[in-house]
Every structure is written in C-alpha cells, then in structure tokens.
Amino acid sequence: MVQIGRTTLHFNDPIGGFHQESLHLEEAMIRLIDGAKYSLHIVSFSLPAYSPRWYLHGAVDRAAKRGLSIKIHAHKYSEVYNLLDRLRDFRPEPEGWHYLPDPTEQKDPVDGNSGALFHIKAIMVDGNKIYIGSANLSQNAVKENSEWGLVSESPEMCMQLEQYLRHLENKGNFQRVLR
C-alpha cells in the first residue's frame, strides 16, 4: 500500500472564475520543480520541449543549472531527444528514454509508434514529492483544457513509479535516447 503525505489539489480553469485554495496547476508544477534539491524525473506522454513557449522550460533549465540529476521518460523519441539536446551542456548529463509498445517491432523512433501508448503523467523530485494528474505536460493541457492534478509528499509513490519504469525498461518497452 502506498502512503501519501501532505497533498495539495490543483486545477486548470480555462474559462476562469473557479475559486481554488491552491495554486493553478501550471504554477504548482513549476514550484515543485523549483523546490527540487537533488533530482528531477519527468514522466509524460506529451513532452513538447521543441516549443520555445513550453511552460516548463524555465523551471527545467533552473534545475539543470543547479546540477540536479535529470531523467526523462516519455512516449516520443523526438520529444525526449529535443529536451536532452536543450540540456546537453549541463552536468550531470540528463538521461532519457522513449516508449516502445512492442519491442519486437522495428519502427523508426523519430516517427513514433502506433498501438499502445505510454500515457503516464508525473513529475518526481528528490524521490520524495510527486505530481500526478490528468494533464499532459503540454502547453495546451495547462492553458486550454480543464485538468486537475495532485502534488504529494510520498516517497513510496515515487519508489513504486520508479520501479514500474525500470520494469518497462527491463522488458524492452523503453529505449534509451542518445544524443
């Protein structure tokens, strides 16, 4: 059983007027990353780091400048590659993996793949705090969609998600992206 500590609930309200006691979803994600001291792990179906307007660029760049260990697990090869390329001059060098729904199928990683999706959305910091929610980590999700997410202190949840990702790596469902 996973233990969840202090948790806050956040919404994106594209139509406006909804009163929430917590931060807007985008701000909650940025503050979570800005609070990281050792590590950042981004896990997402959509990772539009190719866009200069991506709302997480500033926070991820600041994390890299602080020397955090950065890992990325995402669905598309090109999205992981673009973020790794952006962070190429930082140390330690960030690591990334893209999803292969069927590791026996040989597909061009740049074009992505069909079939099953890697649809998890999470941001983990320091192996202790985690964002999980409905929103893809895309501009559209946090600006246009009605979305929600939790930010929680839960080393157990972080550990279980890390174990699941390693399981997928070991089964061949993730391939390392090299620059």
Side-chain angles (χ1 to χ4, degrees):
M1 179 182 303
V2 173
Q3 296 293 317
I4 297 176
R6 186 172 181 271
T7 301
T8 53
L9 177 62
H10 307 273
F11 294 93
N12 175 39
D13 181 25
I15 59 172
F18 178 72
H19 173 74
Q20 60 180 311
E21 296 176 12
S22 58
L23 301 170
H24 181 276
L25 185 58
E26 175 182 358
E27 183 63 25
M29 290 181 202
I30 290 169
R31 285 201 187 176
L32 176 65
I33 295 170
D34 281 343
K37 293 177 176 55
Y38 312 106
S39 64
L40 169 62
H41 195 159
I42 298 171
V43 182
S44 184
F45 167 72
S46 177
L47 189 65
Y50 56 84
S51 170
R53 295 182 359 199
W54 187 44
Y55 69 99
L56 290 179
H57 273 316
V60 172
D61 289 353
R62 288 187 296 274
K65 287 177 185 172
R66 291 193 311 272
L68 270 62
S69 167
I70 299 176
K71 291 182 181 178
I72 304 152
H73 280 84
H75 188 73
K76 290 185 179 180
Y77 170 90
S78 60
E79 292 180 344
V80 176
Y81 183 88
N82 286 335
L83 187 52
L84 290 175
D85 191 52
R86 178 184 175 91
L87 302 172
R88 70 182 171 274
D89 296 330
F90 294 101
R91 299 292 173 261
E93 188 170 341
E95 299 176 287
W97 294 262
H98 76 96
Y99 190 64
L100 298 168
D102 182 352
T104 62
E105 228 179 280
Q106 297 299 316
K107 294 215 176 233
D108 180 353
V110 176
D111 291 335
N113 36 47
S114 58
L117 300 176
F118 178 72
H119 209 245
I120 295 174
K121 301 103 168 175
I123 300 171
M124 294 181 282
V125 300
D126 301 334
N128 182 43
K129 293 182 181 176
I130 188 169
Y131 156 79
I132 54 173
S134 64
N136 286 318
L137 302 185
S138 68
Q139 199 74 14
N140 188 56
V142 298
K143 300 288 185 191
E144 306 296 330
N145 296 349
S146 296
E147 304 277 5
W148 76 293
L150 301 170
V151 174
S152 180
E153 292 178 16
S154 181
E156 293 89 358
M157 192 179 300
C158 292
M159 182 182 65
Q160 285 197 15
L161 180 51
E162 293 283 0
Q163 288 174 345
Y164 182 64
L165 295 170
R166 279 193 300 277
H167 163 76
L168 292 174
E169 288 172 18
N170 293 336
K171 293 294 184 181
N173 292 105
F174 269 110
Q175 182 175 25
R176 186 135 191 194
V177 175
L178 302 173
R179 288 187 310 99

